Amino acid sequence: MKKFAVAAALLSAAVATTPALAADGGEARVEVRGGYITGSGFDDATLGVAGGYDFDLGSTAFGGAEIAGDKVLIDGAKVQFSAGGRAGAKIGVNGKLYANAGYTFGQIDDPYVGAGYQHKLGQNLYGKVEYRHQFLGNNVNDFDTFAVGLGLAF
């Protein structure tokens, strides 16, 4: 419960500061995503939502933060929450190539690393693909998630 309270506080802070940050050339975003998880006894689909903010670090780079909730679509699995950061390069006018890392908590309390690509599909609409490797520290095999997402940036 303590971890959920920390995540809720982080989300509240991010939402409260987003309008002020948007004026400084950054970009807030929300998305839905789905994918496939494999390893450590899992081989199932996932579905989730995420929100974040990317800060401009010049004309070719960015860094950002993200919080998310994802569910493995099997009976008994609970929603997993995560908080992390990402950094990467702007590819042309519409693309962002990035590496990410963070921590997942809920039924699983362990770190992850990954990489992805996000591409603008219109003024505010974007699509993305992402890979994450989840480290499990309890003598269980790690697992991998492959996801696609559709979101709005503002």
Side-chain angles (χ1 to χ4, degrees):
M1 190 63 160
K2 182 179 175 183
K3 291 178 185 176
F4 182 75
V6 170
L10 289 171
L11 175 60
S12 298
V15 170
T17 58
T18 296
L21 293 172
D24 295 334
E27 181 176 73
R29 57 190 165 75
V30 294
E31 66 188 49
V32 294
R33 60 190 184 188
Y36 188 75
I37 186 170
T38 184
S40 192
F42 288 113
D43 277 313
D44 276 292
T46 65
L47 187 61
V49 296
Y53 192 86
D54 290 338
F55 299 90
D56 283 335
L57 301 176
S59 62
T60 60
F62 72 96
E66 178 178 271
I67 58 171
D70 294 286
K71 173 143 178 18
V72 178
L73 300 178
I74 59 172
D75 289 339
K78 296 180 181 173
V79 173
Q80 289 293 122
F81 296 97
S82 63
R86 66 186 201 163
K90 297 175 185 175
I91 308 296
V93 176
N94 295 320
K96 291 181 175 181
L97 182 65
Y98 60 89
N100 60 1
Y103 197 82
T104 300
F105 48 96
Q107 279 181 295
I108 296 171
D109 291 324
D110 290 296
Y112 68 85
V113 296
Y117 178 75
Q118 178 178 314
H119 193 86
K120 282 188 179 182
L121 303 173
Q123 180 69 22
N124 295 78
L125 186 66
Y126 68 85
K128 79 179 210 178
V129 294
E130 186 174 283
Y131 163 78
R132 282 191 182 182
H133 181 81
Q134 185 78 45
F135 296 99
L136 301 180
N138 55 3
N139 297 325
V140 177
N141 293 332
D142 297 349
F143 62 82
D144 299 300
T145 303
F146 303 89
V148 296
L150 188 64
L152 293 172
F154 45 95

